[in-house]
Amino acid sequence: MLESRRALSYLASILFLFGLWGLLSVWLNNPGLPGPLVALQSLSRAFWPELARHLYISTYRVLGSLALALLLAVPLGLLAGRHPSLDSFLAPLVYLLYPVPKVALLPVAMVILGIGDGTKMLVIFLVIFNQILITTRDAARKIPPPLLLSVASLGAGKVSLYRQVILPACLPAIITAGRISLGSAISVLFLSETMAGNSGLGYFILDGLFRADYGAMFAGILAMAGMGLVLYIFLNLLEYLICPWQRL
Amino acid sequence: MIEVSDLGYTYGTGRGAVPALANINFCVPAGQTCVLIGPSGCGKTTLLYLLAGLLQPVRGEIRVGGERVTKPRQRTAIILQDYGLLPWKTVWGNAALGLALRRFSPRQQEERLRPLLAGLGLTGLEKRYPAELSGGQKQRVAIARALSLEPDILLMDEPFSALDALTREGLQQTLVAIQNQRRLTTVLVTHNIEEAVFLGQQIIVLTAAPGQIKGVLTNPGAGSQEYRFSGDFHHCCTRVRRLLQ
């Protein structure tokens, strides 16, 4: 019952957004913004093997950078949250580097790493690393001390405390950080793919624009939106599976 | 037997140091229940952490069975305020945690836990999460987890404070039954005078911070249901109340 109501509300939201989009396209009456039906038709007419190749490339760039950022930022965040001495070293670094627009480093990365996957993934990684690090550190800081003491009193060593208490306590925050980072990651991906190289959905969209093939352009935009939505749903599913207590 | 001599503890160092406990001396004979009672912030919980070996004294020492406590002891179990249950573990996962940490096989865990959970009325709730339990059920899971390690010392920090009167009395009875059965040496922190007098064969009244011992009462009648309705019970409650005032 609850699930079907939720599905209906999602459907209603999609219809609402498409309605707004349709109205805007009628109002603007510009070939640069076709209506949703035209865009969907262009998606069905798109050269799928080509679009799928770009979709695949973009997906692994986003997922790869997200996975790498999680792999490095989560342990560092957990340690910084629990060890004030490490945090006192890290916090000023993070604070100083946070306002620096990492995207501005894209040209530097291009010079050093070329225009391949490495450049794009490095810039995405740099943008989302801080977000995950800070969220994880703050979650690790907030763990109620009695929870740690009660498990320590049962005989848990340092490693067991991380495995049994600190990591699970931070999991919901880590997944939330993943969700927020996903949005940033896709934005940076688009920018980096439009700036360098000849692959990925960003390139595909820009190529459509330059060829004035707005159908292809919108097929790329819809594919990118779809990719974001699927990855978002994937993170929700992950939370559902690994944080069952959060559902209560 | 627990022996505490000349114990002192201070939070922080230098100018920011906050003394929490000073000149604490007492002794709890094996198999007895000692209740610590005092105003909020008097260092009761700190004293319990020190007894558990989770904190190290700044002054003095604690000995259990003649041995100095310098780290958490294998056979000391502690139940903290709010039960200390992990929200991400089920009843079974929480109750079995101590055993799992000490590398008991799943079969050994099963053998120890099944009768314990049944005795505490938790059978059938094994797959539930703490958020799905009542306060009394959570407390029983915490007791199961503590008893699974077959402790000889049980430390409890305001174990029944968040429960309604009937559940509280029921659990007090359960605790007394467990103690009689297992001959546990228990130290319990409470700010409820009736609870202190019902459970504590020895009642230690602490002063406001930094906590010092204001009085020690012996209360041999503690633990029996009839005692709750006797004149001695009320007399003892009055003495504790006077000391607290």
Side-chain angles (χ1 to χ4, degrees):
Chain A
M1 186 66 195
L2 203 69
E3 251 85 64
S4 60
R5 192 177 289 177
R6 192 178 292 174
L8 267 179
S9 67
Y10 275 118
L11 193 67
S13 303
I14 291 171
L15 287 176
F16 175 74
L17 287 174
F18 273 40
L20 270 184
W21 176 3
L23 282 175
L24 196 64
S25 74
V26 169
W27 182 57
L28 284 176
N29 193 22
N30 186 313
L33 186 70
L37 281 178
V38 179
L40 283 172
Q41 277 168 1
S42 69
L43 190 62
S44 67
R45 278 201 308 267
F47 183 52
W48 265 97
E50 179 72 2
L51 184 58
R53 187 175 72 84
H54 291 292
L55 179 62
Y56 166 71
I57 291 169
S58 288
T59 307
Y60 85 62
R61 281 174 183 162
V62 168
L63 270 183
S65 339
L66 189 63
L68 189 67
L70 283 170
L71 214 64
L72 294 175
V74 167
L76 199 60
L78 294 177
L79 285 169
R82 299 308 315 167
H83 299 276
S85 51
L86 175 65
D87 192 38
S88 64
F89 170 72
L90 264 182
L93 278 180
V94 171
Y95 186 79
L96 285 174
L97 291 175
Y98 196 69
V100 176
K102 277 53 149 209
V103 182
L105 297 173
L106 190 59
V108 182
M110 279 162 65
V111 172
I112 297 169
L113 295 172
I115 55 168
D117 290 339
T119 300
K120 287 144 188 122
M121 289 171 76
L122 175 69
V123 176
I124 298 172
F125 170 84
L126 288 174
V127 169
I128 62 178
F129 180 82
N130 271 355
Q131 296 174 356
I132 299 171
L133 176 72
I134 293 170
T135 315
T136 309
R137 181 200 63 186
D138 291 353
R141 263 188 199 163
K142 278 190 213 140
I143 298 172
L147 220 50
L148 290 158
L149 286 173
S150 74
V151 179
S153 76
L154 294 170
K158 280 197 175 127
V159 176
S160 295
L161 278 180
Y162 272 94
R163 208 163 63 87
Q164 302 286 353
V165 187
I166 299 168
L167 179 63
C170 296
L171 266 182
I174 292 168
I175 292 178
T176 301
R179 271 196 287 252
I180 295 168
S181 300
L182 186 64
S184 318
I186 293 175
S187 306
V188 178
L189 172 83
F190 174 78
L191 196 73
S192 64
E193 285 178 344
T194 53
M195 266 186 80
N198 55 6
S199 60
L201 288 171
Y203 165 78
F204 186 86
I205 292 165
L206 209 69
D207 186 52
L209 173 71
F210 289 153
R211 289 186 290 109
D213 182 354
Y214 300 128
M217 185 178 86
F218 266 86
I221 292 172
L222 282 177
M224 202 166 217
M227 176 185 78
L229 189 65
V230 169
L231 292 178
Y232 196 77
I233 292 171
F234 168 73
L235 283 177
N236 279 348
L237 191 70
L238 196 69
E239 184 177 33
Y240 184 86
L241 291 175
I242 65 174
C243 305
W245 72 96
Q246 287 287 99
R247 285 180 247 152
L248 304 171
Chain B
M1 186 196 278
I2 304 172
E3 295 159 284
V4 176
S5 41
D6 194 26
L7 190 74
Y9 190 80
T10 305
Y11 283 102
T13 49
R15 278 192 191 172
V18 180
L21 290 165
N23 304 323
I24 304 287
N25 291 285
F26 66 92
C27 175
V28 188
Q32 276 212 3
T33 298
C34 168
V35 171
L36 303 170
I37 190 166
S40 295
C42 73
K44 302 186 291 279
T45 302
T46 304
L47 182 48
L48 216 58
Y49 287 172
L50 287 161
L51 291 171
L54 293 167
L55 293 178
Q56 294 312 312
V58 173
R59 260 191 79 144
E61 61 171 22
I62 296 167
R63 288 181 179 271
V64 171
E67 271 183 49
R68 196 174 173 160
V69 178
T70 53
K71 57 179 185 177
R73 241 180 110 246
Q74 286 263 337
R75 296 195 65 200
T76 298
I78 182 165
I79 299 177
L80 300 176
Q81 222 173 344
D82 299 328
Y83 325 115
L85 298 181
L86 302 178
W88 43 89
K89 286 199 180 281
T90 58
V91 166
W92 183 270
N94 268 296
L97 185 58
L99 296 173
L101 287 170
R102 291 180 193 187
R103 307 210 180 282
F104 279 62
S105 71
R107 227 191 77 201
Q108 288 169 315
Q109 294 178 23
E110 184 98 18
E111 278 169 9
R112 275 223 189 159
L113 278 184
R114 285 274 168 234
L116 255 177
L117 293 183
L120 288 162
L122 293 167
T123 306
L125 302 178
E126 292 88 344
K127 290 184 179 158
R128 291 209 190 165
Y129 286 94
E132 298 173 293
L133 302 176
S134 69
Q137 287 168 333
K138 283 183 202 169
Q139 186 55 271
R140 291 204 294 266
V141 177
I143 293 174
R145 181 167 80 181
L147 295 183
S148 72
L149 299 171
E150 298 190 337
D152 53 9
I153 291 180
L154 181 63
L155 308 171
M156 301 175 97
D157 189 7
E158 299 193 20
F160 312 127
S161 60
L163 306 175
D164 64 83
L166 279 178
T167 312
R168 171 191 284 251
E169 284 187 14
L171 275 171
Q172 287 169 353
Q173 283 296 343
T174 307
L175 181 64
V176 168
I178 289 167
Q179 266 180 307
N180 291 340
Q181 200 182 6
R182 296 179 178 243
R183 298 272 305 145
L184 288 170
T185 310
T186 305
V187 179
L188 185 141
V189 163
T190 183
H191 51 225
N192 181 311
I193 295 172
E194 281 78 16
E195 184 165 279
V197 175
F198 178 65
L199 292 172
Q201 282 133 349
Q202 182 179 194
I203 301 165
I204 296 178
V205 183
L206 296 170
T207 62
Q212 298 187 51
I213 293 182
K214 197 172 183 186
V216 179
L217 301 172
T218 47
N219 182 35
S224 82
Q225 190 60 13
E226 300 79 51
Y227 182 57
R228 216 191 271 277
F229 305 104
S230 71
D232 287 348
F233 179 83
H234 293 288
H235 177 63
C236 192
C237 286
T238 310
R239 283 171 65 202
V240 174
R241 189 168 283 115
R242 282 211 184 109
L243 272 171
L244 280 169
Q245 284 163 352

